[in-house]
């Protein structure tokens, strides 16, 4: 059994954090350090991301299973679980499959519904990189800019570029698997599942990922939910407004 890579910070009740598509645990380091003053924080790399194992197989049932194996391996119980975007979907799949292991659930800017594949420009840009030609971060960024005009998105992606050996750059994520399995990232939560413990949905004010008409589907799967909007933030609300994000999470967990 392969166990997910993580960074573990602090002591106390376990708080597990799952990053989004193309992300990694490092994206959560600053907030993780803050949370670690009160909790034992587990910043987890999901399969095909960060320093975790690569696999051709990739779907939410497997991602939830990976998390189950991780929790068993570290002898954790009654965890607090935060997931952003793709990580939020993993968290929903996990909490509905293993409700006894999750004390409270926090889903960040994603709803249980199906999302149509919409990362085409990002995937095209990443797949256009040839590290023999783009042999510096600057050249990688210039190539990506032809596909991805948003500097913030490119900077986020560039965190995954590292020196595999002297003179050889590569990506940390498994680009081939993420490209092939892209349609699965938007998959909906199964119809008949639910999680009845307290659940907090955090949405970015400027993000279109959770809209009012999705309240019905949220209520169906997570009857004990609260949806809170984070001001002055889009899809990456934890990075764009970390203070409000931190305050909302702490209030929910301490309640």
């Amino acid at each position: 059994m392969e166990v997910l890579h993580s960074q573990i910070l602090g002591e106390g009740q376990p708080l597990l954090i799952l990053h989004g598509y193309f992300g990694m645990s490092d994206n959560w380091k600053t907030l993780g350090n803050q949370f670690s003053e009160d909790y034992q924080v587990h910043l987890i790399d999901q399969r095909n991301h960060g320093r975790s194992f690569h696999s051709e197989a990739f779907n939410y049932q497997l991602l939830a299973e990976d998390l189950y194996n991780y929790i068993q391996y570290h002898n954790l119980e009654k965890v607090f679980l935060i997931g952003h975007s793709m990580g939020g979907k993993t968290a929903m799949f996990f909490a509905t499959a293993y409700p006894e292991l999750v004390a409270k659930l926090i889903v960040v800017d994603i709803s249980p519904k199906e999302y149509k594949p919409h990362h085409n420009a990002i995937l095209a840009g990443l797949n256009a990189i040839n590290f023999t030609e783009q042999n510096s971060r600057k050249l990688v960024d210039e190539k990506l800019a032809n596909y991805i005009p948003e500097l913030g998105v490119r900077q986020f992606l560039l965190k995954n570029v590292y020196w595999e050996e002297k003179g050889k750059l590569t990506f940390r994520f498994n680009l081939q698997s993420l490209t092939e399995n892209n349609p699965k990232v938007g998959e909906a939560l199964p119809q008949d599942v639910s999680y009845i413990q307290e659940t907090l949905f955090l949405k970015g004010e400027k993000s279109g990922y959770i809209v009012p008409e999705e309240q019905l589907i949220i209520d169906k799967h997570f009857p004990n939910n609260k949806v809170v909007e984070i001001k002055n933030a889009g899809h990456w609300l934890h990075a764009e407004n970390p203070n409000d994000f931190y305050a909302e999470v702490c209030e929910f967990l301490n309640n």
Side-chain angles (χ1 to χ4, degrees), residues 77-178:
E77 45 192 47
K78 290 292 174 199
V79 305
F80 293 140
L81 183 57
I82 299 178
H84 171 243
S85 199
M86 180 191 86
K89 274 277 172 79
T90 304
M92 289 188 266
F93 270 77
F94 181 81
T96 54
Y98 306 100
E100 70 287 354
L101 293 176
V102 183
K104 286 187 180 183
L105 174 65
I106 299 171
V107 179
V108 184
D109 215 54
I110 198 86
S111 94
K113 72 164 196 181
E114 182 188 2
Y115 292 84
K116 295 280 178 263
H118 57 283
H119 298 93
N120 302 352
I122 288 177
L123 286 166
L126 294 171
N127 280 290
I129 300 297
N130 173 348
F131 284 112
T132 15
E133 290 170 15
Q134 285 83 45
N135 57 2
S136 71
R137 285 170 181 280
K138 185 172 180 291
L139 291 172
V140 172
D141 183 47
E142 284 171 8
K143 185 75 172 176
L144 287 176
N146 297 327
Y147 299 83
I148 306 160
E150 307 87 356
L151 176 63
V153 177
R154 295 203 308 276
Q155 286 174 331
F156 166 74
L157 294 168
L158 283 164
K159 287 183 178 159
N160 289 284
V161 174
Y162 78 110
W163 296 102
E164 188 178 31
E165 53 191 65
K166 195 174 185 314
K168 187 175 182 241
L169 284 172
T170 192
F171 291 122
R172 283 207 186 277
F173 45 59
N174 181 353
L175 182 57
Q176 187 180 346
S177 182
L178 295 183

